[in-house]
Amino acid sequence: MTARPFSMGSSGEPGAGIGMTSQRTRDRMVQRLREKGITDQVVLDAMARVPRHLFVDEALASRAYEDVALPIGFEQTISQPYVVAKMLEAIRGGNPIARVLEVGTGCGYQAAVLAAVAREVFSIERIKALLERARANLRPLRLPNLRLKYGDGQLGLAEAAPFDGIVVAAAAASMPRELADQLNVGARMVLPVGTTSQQLIVVERTATGFTERKLDLVRFVSLRTGRE
Ligand code: SAH
């Protein structure tokens, strides 16, 4: 049985009385994800539970369940729901995953969804102020299996490696080898690769090396070096 850390009772959820952020709105978002080809029920269930409107500015809350990326400050964006679903479906490959690393916490939304589909989640962010915001956004959800880290995620997180899945939420010019090296054999990393045009790539570690598979064309902010 999967733990259900997200209480969606109409009384407890902030904004539950406002139609635009209700469970029904979230269910409609999930229905659209299904229509766009997401089939992994574990991922769909997780996205039906995580209150995405809590991760965007109050002024944008009414748009939180549209299938678009939205600004979160610091020139960064919260990823489009379809892309989050696609990435998590890709690393799961239909199987439960134990330990996952996310590079690029941003506002913390995808980290919360990951915490609902994986046993243990580490998420690393290079912008200190954004990490603090993510912490504040995530606090009310009380996710004991999610740990946030401040640092340059291009180097991965050696202290917690190897991982059963890695999700990179910012685009790299080429596949970051240091990250791929922190995958367990049989585990997958999904990431956007490219500069002007980007594509989601799934890298799988095999006993002898790596295989690569291409998914959708996407638009992400760039992976950057160092911390700020
Ligand atoms: N996961 C977020 C999306 C965040 S946008 C969501 O749920 O919507 C991408 C994030 O990656 C930004 O916050 C950006 O600061 C961060 N980022 C870019 N390069 C990074 C790096 N090298 N290490 C860690 N985070 C990085």
Side-chain angles (χ1 to χ4, degrees):
M1 247 211 32
T2 328
R4 294 223 152 211
F6 306 102
S7 149
M8 288 297 133
S10 55
S11 52
E13 185 190 351
I18 308 162
M20 304 297 263
T21 55
S22 67
Q23 183 62 52
R24 201 181 304 161
T25 315
R26 214 156 27 242
D27 290 342
R28 272 201 297 271
M29 174 187 82
V30 167
Q31 185 52 35
R32 281 194 303 272
L33 295 177
R34 244 190 224 108
E35 286 159 13
K36 287 186 173 181
I38 304 297
T39 57
D40 188 331
Q41 198 55 45
V42 172
V43 172
L44 292 169
D45 284 349
M47 293 188 65
R49 299 213 300 280
V50 178
R52 185 171 156 93
H53 62 282
L54 299 185
F55 293 87
V56 297
D57 215 67
E58 227 170 298
L60 290 170
S62 66
R63 302 193 58 199
Y65 297 99
E66 290 177 20
D67 196 17
V68 293
L70 295 168
I72 53 171
F74 308 92
E75 296 170 11
Q76 306 302 322
T77 53
I78 178 172
S79 302
Q80 182 191 344
Y82 170 77
V83 174
V84 171
K86 192 75 190 177
M87 291 177 103
L88 302 201
E89 185 170 76
I91 53 158
R92 266 179 41 82
N95 297 309
I97 31 176
R99 181 177 281 216
V100 174
L101 173 68
E102 177 189 39
V103 176
T105 315
C107 60
Y109 172 70
Q110 180 169 264
V113 181
L114 271 171
V117 308
R119 201 166 68 210
E120 203 178 7
V121 180
F122 295 83
S123 183
I124 183 164
E125 170 58 53
R126 64 178 287 281
I127 301 177
K128 186 77 178 258
L130 209 41
L131 190 70
E132 292 313 319
R133 189 174 295 179
R135 252 186 235 294
N137 290 341
L138 288 159
R139 200 166 293 126
L141 300 180
R142 289 196 200 90
L143 304 171
N145 62 333
L146 169 60
R147 260 169 281 174
L148 303 185
K149 302 276 174 181
Y150 175 49
D152 182 351
Q154 285 180 104
L155 310 171
L157 190 62
E159 70 197 60
F163 297 98
D164 305 305
I166 300 179
V167 184
V168 186
S174 61
M175 204 261 280
R177 187 55 203 263
E178 296 85 344
L179 273 176
D181 283 339
Q182 293 187 5
L183 285 172
N184 263 323
V185 172
R188 284 179 287 274
M189 166 165 79
V190 59
L191 74 165
V193 172
T195 44
T196 42
S197 111
Q198 305 164 0
Q199 189 159 21
L200 282 184
I201 308 282
V202 184
V203 177
E204 182 167 335
R205 181 165 206 165
T206 66
T208 51
F210 297 96
T211 60
E212 264 187 50
R213 176 162 67 87
K214 292 189 163 88
L215 299 177
D216 306 49
L217 294 172
V218 286
R219 264 199 95 78
F220 274 83
V221 297
S222 300
L223 199 62
R224 299 216 178 130
T225 301
R227 305 192 288 183
E228 60 182 77

